[in-house]
């Protein structure tokens, strides 16, 4: 799963990389946790948009606007068939900017050891996401989820799953603005990352969802 990530890149950098005209101002975040809000890039009617949404997808047909922790992530293997995500996968795909994320590895004493994972030489990248709009009695909530898949070989010793990272070459395709894109083409993008990746052990301070600060992503020595 992916339950924590960082976004330190400036709005100007995000504008450039994701080709959006405006990005809401925000402070650098080193420990973004559900229910957010988190920054989302989606294709609007006329142009690409950047906006904040609740993390934990609420399907438009839900009776109540309750954030279910099981919907902060969607599994790549079932995203096309699971009722909660099926319609959004077909019609409401998005990108979620990030510059690193956390996973926890269990040690021999069953303790969870946090690791910070990033892409070297990449200032910011996009997770594959879905979004939906829930509306009832004049109340409107837009929410999102991050798609996860099998971990790439380098990360399997830490965790069996990882978020889907969309290569920047395929942003247009994922957002559905390339002419002729089909559902199978979107499914083909939901693969483990196959490029360069870097990771290091970090402080257990990140285990607290309310912890913040640059020290959270600093490497700490790994015991022999």
């Amino acid at each position: 799963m992916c339950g924590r990530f960082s976004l330190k890149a400036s709005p100007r950098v995000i504008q450039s990389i994701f080709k959006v005209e405006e990005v809401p101002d925000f402070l650098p975040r080193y420990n973004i946790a559900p229910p957010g809000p988190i920054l989302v890039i989606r294709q609007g009617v006329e142009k690409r948009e950047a906006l904040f949404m609740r993390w934990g997808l609420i399907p438009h047909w839900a009776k109540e606007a309750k954030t279910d922790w099981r919907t902060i992530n969607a599994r790549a293997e079932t995203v096309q068939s699971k009722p909660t995500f099926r319609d959004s996968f077909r019609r409401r795909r998005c990108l979620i900017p990030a510059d690193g994320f956390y996973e926890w590895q269990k040690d021999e004493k069953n303790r969870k050891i946090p690791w910070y994972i990033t892409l070297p030489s990449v200032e910011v990248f996009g997770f594959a996401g879905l979004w939906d709009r829930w509306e009832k009695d004049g109340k409107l909530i837009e929410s999102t989820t991050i798609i996860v898949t099998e971990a790439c070989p380098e990360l399997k010793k830490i965790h069996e799953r990882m978020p889907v990272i969309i290569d920047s070459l395929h942003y247009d395709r994922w957002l559905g603005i390339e002419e002729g894109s089909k559902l199978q083409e979107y499914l083909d993008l939901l693969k483990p990352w196959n490029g360069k990746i870097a990771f290091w052990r970090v402080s257990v301070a990140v285990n607290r969802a309310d912890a913040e600060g640059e020290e959270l992503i600093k490497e700490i020595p790994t015991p022999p």
Side-chain angles (χ1 to χ4, degrees), residues 2-222:
C2 176
R4 306 282 185 84
F5 67 96
S6 65
L7 182 59
K8 313 179 296 297
S10 70
R12 181 173 296 180
V13 167
I14 292 171
Q15 277 181 286
S16 174
I17 291 178
F18 292 95
K19 300 177 183 177
V20 290
E21 291 182 7
E22 296 182 38
V23 175
D25 286 334
F26 63 90
L27 296 173
R29 293 288 309 278
Y30 295 86
N31 189 21
I32 301 171
I38 62 177
L39 188 65
V40 170
I41 309 293
R42 70 181 178 189
Q43 183 62 37
V45 176
E46 298 181 352
K47 60 184 180 179
R48 204 170 285 185
E49 303 172 334
L51 68 162
F52 284 94
M53 293 187 184
R54 181 185 294 189
W55 186 5
L57 190 137
I58 304 168
H60 61 272
W61 43 259
K63 293 182 179 180
E64 297 181 277
K66 296 176 65 176
T67 298
D68 190 329
W69 292 91
R70 293 172 297 181
T71 67
I72 66 170
N73 292 155
R75 294 177 65 90
E77 297 87 345
T78 58
V79 72
Q80 188 181 15
S81 59
K82 193 170 183 178
T84 300
F85 306 117
R86 182 174 56 205
D87 190 52
S88 289
F89 175 68
R90 292 173 179 170
R91 299 177 176 88
R92 292 180 291 276
R93 292 171 303 280
C94 62
L95 292 163
I96 297 168
D99 42 38
F101 62 97
Y102 299 92
E103 291 294 358
W104 280 259
Q105 178 188 36
K106 288 187 178 180
D107 66 7
E108 66 280 357
K109 296 183 179 179
N110 210 36
R111 296 173 299 190
K112 291 186 176 181
I113 307 301
W115 292 73
Y116 184 69
I117 303 155
T118 188
L119 305 186
S121 304
V122 176
E123 198 164 1
V124 64
F125 49 85
F127 294 142
L130 308 173
W131 68 276
D132 209 339
R133 180 185 290 114
W134 183 92
E135 190 170 6
K136 186 176 181 180
D137 299 329
K139 185 177 183 180
L140 172 66
I141 298 175
E142 291 188 318
S143 58
T144 188
T145 187
I146 295 172
I147 301 176
V148 296
T149 188
E150 180 184 358
C152 61
E154 297 92 332
L155 295 183
K156 282 190 174 180
K157 67 177 184 179
I158 297 174
H159 199 277
E160 62 183 10
R161 308 288 290 179
M162 71 175 295
V164 173
I165 299 172
I166 301 291
D167 190 294
S168 59
L169 296 174
H170 302 311
Y171 286 172
D172 284 356
R173 181 185 300 178
W174 177 249
L175 293 176
I177 64 175
E178 280 194 352
E179 191 173 336
S181 293
K182 306 293 184 182
L183 289 181
Q184 186 57 52
E185 293 183 36
Y186 305 139
L187 287 171
D188 290 343
L189 296 176
L190 305 182
K191 307 297 183 184
W193 180 249
N194 64 357
K196 293 182 178 180
I197 197 163
F199 50 95
W200 52 85
R201 186 173 171 176
V202 294
S203 169
V204 294
V206 76
N207 293 354
R208 291 182 15 247
D210 61 347
E212 262 297 345
E214 189 174 3
E215 66 278 1
L216 296 179
I217 67 170
K218 290 183 178 179
E219 184 175 6
I220 64 171
T222 301

